[in-house]
Amino acid sequence: MYDFLVKKGLTMAFIVGTIITVIFLVIAVSGINSAGLAGVDLTERKADIPSMNFFNFGLWAAIILTLVCFGLLLLFILVDIGKFPKQMGRAILAVVALIVVFVGLTMSSTAEAGPLWDRLYNNPDFAFTPSVSKFISGGLKTTGILTVLAVLIMIGAEIRNSFK
């Protein structure tokens, strides 16, 4: 299983992610259009929100995929600890560095401001606070940094492999 996932895991993840994204977009867009909500500010349609079940597939797919990925992560961490105990120090250091970067970006982020944000902050039904806004901003910035690093590493690896 481990060798199969090493060889085909990225391709499988990309295909599964693409299929789930397309299914979600078809369900969400057709649901929004059939409900007559295209272009409508959903924060002003609070009474309609409980009946908007066309986002449920995407939410549940994200929850299930997150749990599956977390479970596989724990499984492969345990496998790697057994196979490569000396290299786990670097992996743990990388995870700690990622957490430090996330916390730093979250603490340095400012809460969003504006009329829409004021409505969200002051609406008890949404439970949206400035600290939640900062947390989301920190997560988005961390994701952006990781994306840029991944692209740079891929480019560097391809350049290095072209000279081998």
Side-chain angles (χ1 to χ4, degrees):
M1 173 90 171
Y2 186 79
D3 292 331
F4 175 76
L5 288 176
V6 167
K7 291 178 186 174
K8 308 267 190 218
L10 185 61
T11 304
M12 286 178 44
F14 183 75
I15 290 170
V16 169
T18 303
I19 290 169
I20 289 174
T21 302
V22 168
I23 291 170
F24 168 70
L25 287 174
V26 166
I27 292 170
V29 170
S30 64
I32 288 171
N33 289 337
S34 67
L37 299 171
V40 174
D41 184 4
L42 296 179
T43 60
E44 296 174 356
R45 306 281 302 260
K46 186 173 73 169
D48 297 334
I49 289 176
S51 65
M52 291 182 196
N53 58 5
F54 34 83
F55 295 113
N56 289 354
F57 174 79
L59 293 172
W60 280 108
I63 291 168
I64 290 169
L65 286 176
T66 300
L67 292 175
V68 167
C69 289
F70 188 70
L72 288 174
L73 173 74
L74 291 178
L75 174 71
F76 289 124
I77 283 174
L78 294 174
V79 168
D80 282 347
I81 287 173
K83 285 185 176 181
F84 313 106
K86 292 180 183 177
Q87 283 128 355
M88 284 309 294
R90 285 187 283 171
I92 291 171
L93 185 64
V95 170
V96 169
L98 181 62
I99 292 170
V100 167
V101 167
F102 172 71
V103 168
L105 289 172
T106 300
M107 306 242 338
S108 66
S109 295
T110 58
E112 298 292 329
L116 173 65
W117 297 102
D118 290 337
R119 277 199 321 242
L120 288 173
Y121 295 149
N122 296 324
N123 190 337
D125 294 332
F126 287 115
F128 198 82
T129 64
S131 61
V132 171
S133 174
K134 290 175 66 171
F135 185 79
I136 292 170
S137 294
L140 290 173
K141 290 175 185 175
T142 304
T143 302
I145 289 171
L146 289 175
T147 302
V148 169
L149 283 175
V151 169
L152 291 175
I153 289 170
M154 286 186 336
I155 291 170
E158 289 299 321
I159 291 172
R160 191 183 99 218
N161 287 339
S162 69
F163 290 114
K164 281 188 173 182

